[in-house]
Amino acid sequence: MVGRDDHKIFFCMVSCSVIVGEVANFIAYAFAPAVLVTPLGALSIIVSAVLADLILKERLHKLGILGIVMCIAGSIIIVIHAPKEEPITSVLEIWNMATQPAFLAYVGSVVVLVFFMVFHFAPTCGHTNVLVYTGICSLMGSLSVMSVKALGTSLKLTFEGNNQLVYPQTWFFMLVVAICVVMQMNYLNKALDTFNTAIVSPIYYVMFTTLTILASIIMFKDWDGQSFSTIMSEICGFIVVLSGTIMLHLTKDFERSHSFRGGGLPSSPTLSVRLYTGNGDSLLKDDEENESPEDMFSRRQDLC
């Protein structure tokens, strides 16, 4: 039986890990390409699952353990074949990358898609289709990562003695980060409040990571100079990480449903059914209604 003190310990550990993780993420984007940093975010999901197993005694399913192994194996493949970060000496170089026609076309496409999803699809089918809210989060997230990388690089150069705060481009990237993060967190919370976490988490991770890598390839040209075999190895590692992440989340949902219903098979619809029909009001909170405030907070940290 898990005591309340165990929940408090887990809650504090998750809160601290989120703060440290976000700071480390910000620093990592200043030193490494997004193609490398973003997929490795799956490692935070592994840490959360292991801590839940050790502290809250939430037993990991065998397929969940396999998912962890797949995440680690895929991460190793990505690290081995990751592109090298090209040295940047000024925020003006990043600005030139951000204003190239290919990336401007990507930004324009994202803005148009987000506009239609926010004002047309979200009011009509946002509560029945999980792809609406997660799509908005992922699209804005890809832009926020590019801006975070630009801002982080600017601050790194400033701390090294090459002041970048005198350039208006630095402050523009800071403004973009603020706008994108606010929108991203707003619709992410809406998705988590509307749909089961086990559905939102893997879909958001897949969409966010894919779009971020695409944006990074367009803006920073991460794959330029790499051989075809190296690029394919990175893609394979990415697919392995995605598969492991999805497997870990779905088995976690199965274990939670199993424990809530006294050992029976989960009666909630499968992922494919819920993607097609949406979650009915009677099913939206079925797996989450028994969670404590600490659990409801910690389950959101799987997405960070």
Side-chain angles (χ1 to χ4, degrees):
M1 186 72 178
V2 180
R4 190 170 185 83
D5 290 338
D6 292 327
H7 282 283
K8 291 181 178 179
I9 294 173
F10 183 73
F11 178 79
C12 293
M13 292 181 68
V14 169
S15 301
C16 294
S17 66
V18 168
I19 296 173
V20 174
E22 290 305 313
V23 173
N25 253 348
F26 185 85
I27 297 174
Y29 280 120
F31 290 92
V35 174
L36 170 62
V37 177
T38 307
L40 296 184
L43 297 178
S44 64
I45 302 174
I46 296 176
V47 174
S48 175
V50 172
L51 288 177
D53 180 70
L54 295 177
I55 298 176
L56 301 183
K57 308 303 179 185
E58 295 182 359
R59 186 176 62 86
L60 276 172
H61 193 274
K62 291 181 179 179
L63 289 179
I65 297 175
L66 177 60
I68 291 177
V69 173
M70 291 175 66
C71 287
I72 295 175
S75 299
I76 293 174
I77 295 174
I78 292 173
V79 170
I80 292 175
H81 298 92
K84 294 182 179 180
E85 178 80 345
E86 294 295 331
I88 297 175
T89 59
S90 172
V91 69
L92 297 178
E93 294 182 29
I94 304 179
W95 180 257
N96 290 334
M97 297 176 186
T99 53
Q100 59 184 315
F103 188 71
L104 288 178
Y106 175 80
V107 173
S109 301
V110 168
V111 172
V112 171
L113 284 173
V114 169
F115 180 84
F116 275 104
M117 294 179 77
V118 168
F119 293 102
H120 177 69
F121 292 106
T124 57
C125 55
H127 292 281
T128 57
N129 193 328
V130 68
L131 297 178
V132 176
Y133 290 149
T134 53
I136 296 172
C137 294
S138 302
L139 289 166
M140 297 304 295
S142 67
L143 297 183
S144 69
V145 168
M146 297 301 101
S147 301
V148 163
K149 182 170 179 60
L151 181 60
T153 303
S154 300
L155 294 178
K156 181 189 73 170
L157 293 172
T158 300
F159 291 144
E160 291 175 351
N162 185 4
N163 188 10
Q164 301 295 305
L165 299 179
V166 297
Y167 297 109
Q169 288 85 347
T170 301
W171 300 99
F172 175 80
F173 285 127
M174 188 179 299
L175 177 63
V176 173
V177 169
I179 294 173
C180 291
V181 168
V182 169
M183 284 195 64
Q184 190 178 355
M185 296 308 299
N186 178 42
Y187 284 95
L188 179 58
N189 282 327
K190 286 186 177 182
L192 290 172
D193 289 338
T194 306
F195 301 97
N196 192 303
T197 309
I199 299 177
V200 176
S201 297
I203 293 176
Y204 172 66
Y205 178 79
V206 170
M207 296 178 66
F208 168 72
T209 306
T210 302
L211 290 171
T212 299
I213 290 176
L214 176 62
S216 182
I217 291 172
I218 296 174
M219 179 173 173
F220 294 99
K221 304 186 184 304
D222 292 324
W223 283 352
D224 282 10
Q226 286 195 299
S227 64
F228 177 77
S229 60
T230 301
I231 294 175
M232 291 306 298
S233 297
E234 291 179 40
I235 294 175
C236 289
F238 177 49
I239 293 174
V240 171
V241 171
L242 293 183
S243 302
T245 302
I246 293 173
M247 186 178 299
L248 182 58
H249 275 293
L250 294 183
T251 54
K252 187 192 301 182
D253 183 48
F254 172 81
E255 286 298 327
R256 186 184 296 115
S257 301
H258 183 80
S259 61
F260 283 174
R261 296 184 176 91
L265 290 174
S267 60
S268 58
T270 62
L271 175 61
S272 59
V273 171
R274 283 182 282 189
L275 279 176
Y276 179 74
T277 62
N279 276 357
D281 290 339
S282 62
L283 296 171
L284 290 180
K285 302 300 177 184
D286 189 42
D287 290 340
E288 298 170 0
E289 60 185 0
N290 295 326
E291 289 183 328
S292 65
E294 290 87 352
D295 293 331
M296 294 177 65
F297 176 84
S298 63
R299 67 186 175 85
R300 282 172 163 79
Q301 313 315 316
D302 288 345
L303 299 170
C304 300

